[in-house]
Amino acid sequence: MSIACFLAKLGLVAASLCIGPMPYDIGYIDADQELLDQVGDAVGMANEMMAAAGEPLRLVLRRMGDQAPGRDVLSVFVVTQPGSAAMVQAGLSKTDRILDQFRLENFVMDPKYKNCNDEDDCAEFFYRGQNITELVVDTFDGLANAVVASEVEECRCIVLHAEDLRQYQAVFGRPWGAFIFGARYAGEPPPDMTKVPEIMKEPAGLDLRWILPTILLHEVGHARPEVPLVVPNGPLAASMSEYVTQLGGGRKAEEVRADAYAAVAMKRSCFLPSVGADTKRACLVSVYTSMVVFGLTMWGKTKEALCARYFDPSVNYPNLHLRWIMRDALMSGDPRGANLFADFLATRAKLARKPGLRTVKRCADGLAATFIAGRGTSVAKASPP
């Protein structure tokens, strides 16, 4: 088995990346045309980014029976399980109910606790609202666990699953910006909304085609195992070196390496005048999705919600929120992104030292998955001076 096949269950929403023809007995069929069209647009934007960044690979959207392309091309399949429409709709209906309830909650900040940080015991009383922990954890878990995928042997391809794509659409395809800022500043002078990025105020939410290019680039990163994760000099150097050391080797390090590949490809392409407006918008959306996750988790101040936000979900996958903060910091090169990344790591370290967390199963599991003794050698390399 090739190393690409060994890494067949890839991060986020894609499934397999290996070499050879697409098998036809995996129990899936092509997704509906509307979804294929959106993925096709995203493939075009991802290809524009890679071309501008000087990357050698290209993506092509294929149907199950299409002929395999050349060696420098990765096929993208969008599949669904036959007869799964009812199951998918039931899952999305639950997500819709959770998100609608979340948006309707009467979040009120208690002024007595406004100076509480996440690592302080008083953080649990910061916001008053019904079912806050369940809402935050369910929403975040639904997003972080959208990784259902099939391992496909001998296929040089990225397989996206309709169920996972719909889950992403359910969370991010909503106008979260106004809600996040409105709820955060309830009862206070609102922020100057003229300084809020326009993409945060999108009234109709965002289509998948804006969300997928960065995810596709992540999967392309898995196809380039020879490209190391480079720790850059500058504001990110110390905190990213610390993070890479915590990751060690193995699956977690591979996921973060693929994230970094996507970030570097975007940094090399997103800000070029030759890159089209659609592709530039996809670059902004990658940051927007991180903002939405930050906003959704901001209200979760109970121990369970904090542990869902800060610790790794398993021994194989690193924390989604932290991955995206790192991706955005690498892409933009903005010191504020580096500061946010360092602050997240520092807060996580303080939370890990709180003895009371270990009595909460969610927290104990997260701590065990995050801080594993005897990790392997890091995949990162330092950048030259």
Side-chain angles (χ1 to χ4, degrees), residues 26-211:
I26 61 173
Y28 292 96
I29 59 175
D30 290 315
D32 62 78
Q33 189 60 49
E34 179 186 0
L35 198 54
L36 287 170
D37 289 343
Q38 293 219 45
V39 174
D41 289 343
V43 165
M45 287 182 258
N47 280 337
E48 186 175 11
M49 291 179 192
M50 287 191 289
E55 293 300 317
L57 296 178
R58 294 296 178 268
L59 302 173
V60 61
L61 180 62
R62 290 174 58 198
R63 290 179 178 271
M64 296 285 280
D66 291 348
Q67 184 176 357
R71 296 284 299 179
D72 293 332
V73 177
L74 301 179
S75 300
V76 178
F77 293 94
V78 190
V79 301
T80 188
Q81 293 176 302
S84 66
M87 177 186 67
V88 172
Q89 188 55 53
L92 294 180
S93 295
K94 178 184 177 182
T95 299
D96 285 339
R97 288 195 301 272
I98 290 171
L99 293 179
D100 286 340
Q101 184 182 356
F102 189 90
R103 295 181 68 206
L104 292 172
E105 282 294 333
N106 182 27
F107 293 108
V108 179
M109 184 178 71
D110 191 326
K112 288 191 300 183
Y113 303 111
K114 68 178 182 179
N115 294 321
C116 282
N117 294 315
D118 280 353
E119 65 271 18
D120 297 330
D121 291 334
C122 56
E124 293 198 46
F125 309 104
F126 193 92
Y127 286 106
R128 293 179 295 204
Q130 297 297 313
N131 303 317
I132 182 64
T133 297
E134 181 181 354
L135 291 171
V136 170
V137 172
D138 280 359
T139 303
F140 189 72
D141 281 353
L143 184 62
N145 293 330
V147 294
V148 179
S150 298
E151 182 173 346
V152 183
E153 297 281 347
E154 305 306 314
C155 165
R156 190 169 177 76
C157 59
I158 296 171
V159 180
L160 303 177
H161 283 243
E163 295 86 347
D164 298 317
L165 299 182
R166 297 297 189 195
Q167 182 74 32
Y168 265 58
Q169 180 71 75
V171 175
F172 293 120
R174 289 167 178 253
W176 283 107
F179 167 68
I180 289 172
F181 284 98
R184 172 62 182 86
Y185 292 94
E188 299 181 31
D192 183 355
M193 295 299 286
T194 63
K195 297 180 181 179
V196 176
E198 288 300 314
I199 201 164
M200 287 289 290
K201 297 182 284 186
E202 187 73 34
L206 296 167
D207 288 339
L208 273 171
R209 71 193 198 101
W210 306 116
I211 298 166

Side-chain angles (χ1 to χ4, degrees), residues 107-352:
F107 293 108
V108 179
M109 184 178 71
D110 191 326
K112 288 191 300 183
Y113 303 111
K114 68 178 182 179
N115 294 321
C116 282
N117 294 315
D118 280 353
E119 65 271 18
D120 297 330
D121 291 334
C122 56
E124 293 198 46
F125 309 104
F126 193 92
Y127 286 106
R128 293 179 295 204
Q130 297 297 313
N131 303 317
I132 182 64
T133 297
E134 181 181 354
L135 291 171
V136 170
V137 172
D138 280 359
T139 303
F140 189 72
D141 281 353
L143 184 62
N145 293 330
V147 294
V148 179
S150 298
E151 182 173 346
V152 183
E153 297 281 347
E154 305 306 314
C155 165
R156 190 169 177 76
C157 59
I158 296 171
V159 180
L160 303 177
H161 283 243
E163 295 86 347
D164 298 317
L165 299 182
R166 297 297 189 195
Q167 182 74 32
Y168 265 58
Q169 180 71 75
V171 175
F172 293 120
R174 289 167 178 253
W176 283 107
F179 167 68
I180 289 172
F181 284 98
R184 172 62 182 86
Y185 292 94
E188 299 181 31
D192 183 355
M193 295 299 286
T194 63
K195 297 180 181 179
V196 176
E198 288 300 314
I199 201 164
M200 287 289 290
K201 297 182 284 186
E202 187 73 34
L206 296 167
D207 288 339
L208 273 171
R209 71 193 198 101
W210 306 116
I211 298 166
L212 287 176
T214 182
I215 294 171
L216 291 170
L217 289 177
H218 168 94
E219 303 305 340
V220 172
H222 285 296
R224 300 287 310 280
E226 72 279 9
V227 178
L229 192 168
V230 175
V231 176
N233 292 320
L236 262 176
S239 55
M240 192 166 167
S241 294
E242 175 189 350
Y243 180 45
V244 169
T245 299
Q246 289 178 8
L247 288 169
R251 177 64 175 273
K252 282 187 179 181
E254 169 61 16
E255 292 302 321
V256 171
R257 188 192 64 80
D259 290 336
Y261 173 93
V264 172
M266 287 190 289
K267 182 177 183 179
R268 291 173 178 169
S269 61
C270 288
F271 307 107
L272 295 177
S274 59
V275 171
D278 279 359
T279 302
K280 280 186 167 64
R281 184 174 178 80
C283 296
L284 290 175
V285 168
S286 72
V287 179
Y288 170 85
T289 55
S290 300
M291 291 178 178
V292 169
V293 171
F294 182 87
L296 289 174
T297 59
M298 183 170 64
W299 292 282
K301 301 298 185 182
T302 62
K303 292 182 177 67
E304 291 86 351
L306 285 171
C307 292
R309 178 180 181 181
Y310 281 100
F311 298 135
D312 295 352
S314 73
V315 296
N316 290 320
Y317 281 94
N319 180 278
L320 179 66
H321 193 191
L322 184 54
R323 287 169 61 184
W324 286 5
I325 291 174
M326 183 204 75
R327 179 197 66 195
D328 296 344
L330 282 172
M331 181 184 73
S332 68
D334 192 319
R336 289 173 295 184
N339 291 339
L340 183 61
F341 183 74
D343 180 70
F344 191 104
L345 286 175
T347 301
R348 182 162 80 168
K350 291 176 182 177
L351 285 171

